Amino acid sequence: MGEQQHVKFPQEVIDEYAALGVDLPALFSAGHLGTRMGVQIVEASAERVVGTMPVEGNTQPYGLLHGGASAVLAETLGSVGSMLHGGSSKIAVGVDLNCTHHRGARSGLVTGVATPLHQGRSTATYEIVISDEQGRRVCTARLTCLLRDVNPGDGEHLRPAN
């Protein structure tokens, strides 16, 4: 669960963040929570973010994928898309997340696909569809992020720890 896959970013985006001293693929390994949950981001652009998460280890007492785990996957993917939309001068901060759970998943991987519903100057809203390995919709989520200007001191949080 802890191994890291290479995240696919457009080269111009990688270059933009590299000029700021930020290793974008390392930054978007889904963070400590995502690592514990096995989240892997496999494709990322402002127009589409795709990630996976194992069901095993992320279940509730009945053995079904925990709704909170789906929320973590959804917020991770929508936040990445929002951040890429905002660019290197903005920070994406989630302000609203809602999830509708359609069916349970007991095993395998779930895949989330985030696509933009709104890409504005100060907010971005993404729809995230999470499906099981048979392509059946498990959860539909919507995330809205505030896009705020980067402030002095924010850079400490944008750079991965060495």
Side-chain angles (χ1 to χ4, degrees):
M1 265 185 11
E3 71 184 55
Q4 181 60 37
Q5 294 182 356
H6 180 66
V7 180
K8 301 173 187 172
F9 289 99
Q11 189 60 48
E12 64 273 11
V13 173
I14 292 173
D15 294 344
E16 178 183 357
Y17 282 84
L20 300 171
V22 177
D23 179 352
L24 200 58
L27 180 65
F28 282 99
S29 63
H32 296 295
L33 178 60
T35 298
R36 281 195 302 272
M37 296 181 71
V39 172
Q40 296 290 322
I41 300 170
V42 297
E43 176 186 332
S45 73
E47 299 305 319
R48 178 180 157 93
V49 182
V50 180
T52 62
M53 181 179 65
V55 173
E56 184 180 347
N58 294 314
T59 58
Q60 40 87 310
Y62 297 117
L64 298 171
L65 178 65
H66 194 290
S70 293
V72 167
L73 178 59
E75 184 150 357
T76 299
L77 301 179
S79 293
V80 169
S82 295
M83 185 276 310
L84 290 171
H85 164 67
S88 60
S89 66
K90 299 284 187 178
I91 291 179
V93 181
V95 295
D96 182 64
L97 172 67
N98 73 61
C99 300
T100 301
H101 306 288
H102 305 292
R103 69 170 47 245
R106 290 189 179 278
S107 63
L109 285 178
V110 290
T111 300
V113 179
T115 54
L117 297 174
H118 168 76
Q119 292 176 306
R121 288 178 295 156
S122 61
T123 63
T125 301
Y126 280 75
E127 177 182 61
I128 304 94
V129 175
I130 300 173
S131 303
D132 64 16
E133 291 180 320
Q134 290 74 42
R136 298 176 298 195
R137 190 176 293 221
V138 172
C139 175
T140 303
R142 188 186 71 237
L143 173 72
T144 298
C145 287
L146 172 69
L147 301 174
R148 72 163 179 81
D149 291 335
V150 174
N151 295 321
D154 284 338
E156 297 302 314
H157 303 288
L158 292 175
R159 289 174 178 77
N162 293 11

